[in-house]
Amino acid sequence: SSLASSKGMLRLSSSSFFNSHRLKPCLSFGASNSFNKSQNLTKISENFKRFRKMSTNATPDVTNIIQFMLIVGKLKTTKRTGWVRNNVLLPESISDHMYRMSMLSFLITDPSINREKCMKIAIVHDLAESTVGDITPSDPISKEEKHRMEENAMSEIRKMLGDKVGQEMYDLWMEYENVSTPEAKFVKDFDKFEMILTAYEYETEQKLNLQEFFDSTNGVFKTDQVKSWADKLKEMRGK
């Protein structure tokens, strides 16, 4: 099969398209817990160069949409770092995590909260990880540097998709990062609750001890509803 550019100047086979345009997650970790900051930052720089080439040379057309969805597809195959490091069998992907967060939005009972907006925030909040990977607090990258790297990735996505859709995704991501709205506050709580819910599943199914994930959420929940879910889950866990 082949993919033609909108101006008919370039036709690429499926294999060459993937080799030249698909962005690979830069930060992938094994159970060894290794992290080479210099090497991974070089990979990030290379990814940004590919990204800029696409966003600069292409117009917001079907080709851009396909390129963007290929980038989104990396979220399906990039495993969440914390589970990989804890030797979880078949660990969830980033998109697995975001999907259940989106489903949690249906369950919001506060009538003042825009549930649809929460769903949108949930499905874009880790979008930048398709390019920079799943960086965790234990990695030797500061919170500020992580934000800068992810903001660069979201800026490139904004360029690729154009002013309307691209700006909406960028703004939703910034809203989450800054926790600037009640909806963003809910989604922040979803992020932590979904993590410990997944930890509970892995502990139950694979007989693992994932206490560190529960410890990391002590006192962090800001919404009464999600805090009640977390309290109940910890009660069920019995530890």
Side-chain angles (χ1 to χ4, degrees):
S1 62
S2 63
L3 177 68
S5 70
S6 59
K7 296 183 180 180
M9 294 186 293
L10 181 65
R11 294 183 67 85
L12 297 171
S13 68
S14 294
S15 60
S16 62
F17 176 84
F18 276 89
N19 289 335
S20 60
H21 288 282
R22 188 170 67 175
L23 302 186
K24 299 179 180 179
C26 308
L27 306 177
S28 57
F29 308 97
S32 64
N33 220 17
S34 62
F35 186 100
N36 185 320
K37 182 175 181 180
S38 176
Q39 181 182 23
N40 281 297
L41 290 179
T42 299
K43 292 180 182 178
I44 291 166
S45 177
E46 291 171 353
N47 272 352
F48 283 153
K49 288 177 181 178
R50 296 191 189 99
F51 224 154
R52 291 190 189 100
K53 183 177 181 180
M54 287 188 285
S55 60
T56 301
N57 295 341
T59 56
D61 57 13
V62 175
T63 301
N64 274 22
I65 291 172
I66 292 172
Q67 290 173 337
F68 170 66
M69 294 314 298
L70 289 171
I71 292 166
V72 171
K74 298 306 298 179
L75 298 170
K76 296 168 60 178
T77 56
T78 304
K79 305 303 181 182
R80 299 254 287 165
T81 303
W83 310 133
V84 174
R85 287 178 173 167
N86 279 274
N87 301 314
V88 169
L89 179 65
L90 299 177
E92 68 171 349
S93 68
I94 296 168
S95 63
D96 292 333
H97 167 64
M98 294 197 295
Y99 176 77
R100 187 151 64 177
M101 285 176 61
S102 302
M103 293 299 293
L104 289 172
S105 302
F106 277 101
L107 306 177
I108 296 172
T109 56
D110 186 338
S112 70
I113 300 298
N114 184 330
R115 295 189 305 166
E116 289 74 18
K117 187 175 187 182
C118 287
M119 293 175 196
K120 287 184 176 182
I121 295 174
I123 62 174
V124 304
H125 86 285
D126 278 343
L127 179 56
E129 292 183 8
S130 60
T131 303
V132 303
D134 182 20
I135 303 170
T136 72
S138 62
D139 293 319
I141 288 184
S142 68
K143 185 176 181 180
E144 294 75 20
E145 178 66 6
K146 176 179 182 290
H147 177 82
R148 185 193 66 79
M149 290 158 55
E150 292 182 347
E151 195 275 332
N152 284 346
M154 291 304 298
S155 293
E156 298 297 343
I157 288 173
R158 177 175 55 183
K159 293 176 187 177
M160 175 181 286
L161 296 179
D163 292 340
K164 186 176 181 180
V165 176
Q167 188 65 49
E168 180 183 13
M169 290 186 184
Y170 180 88
D171 289 344
L172 289 167
W173 180 81
M174 285 297 297
E175 189 173 323
Y176 176 82
E177 286 288 294
N178 297 327
V179 199
S180 57
T181 63
E183 286 78 13
K185 184 188 294 185
F186 253 97
V187 180
K188 278 285 186 180
D189 274 6
F190 288 164
D191 182 54
K192 298 301 184 184
F193 175 73
E194 203 285 327
M195 178 187 72
I196 61 172
L197 182 60
T198 303
Y200 174 77
E201 290 172 324
Y202 291 149
E203 284 191 331
T204 303
E205 296 165 3
Q206 302 184 31
K207 308 305 179 185
L208 299 171
N209 182 354
L210 299 172
Q211 182 64 42
E212 64 183 282
F213 294 92
F214 292 90
D215 290 344
S216 71
T217 64
N218 289 335
V220 304
F221 294 103
K222 306 301 182 185
T223 62
D224 291 339
Q225 185 176 9
V226 183
K227 183 179 184 299
S228 71
W229 297 348
D231 289 344
K232 183 63 176 179
L233 180 65
K234 291 176 182 179
E235 177 186 322
M236 291 169 58
R237 184 170 177 257
K239 294 183 180 180

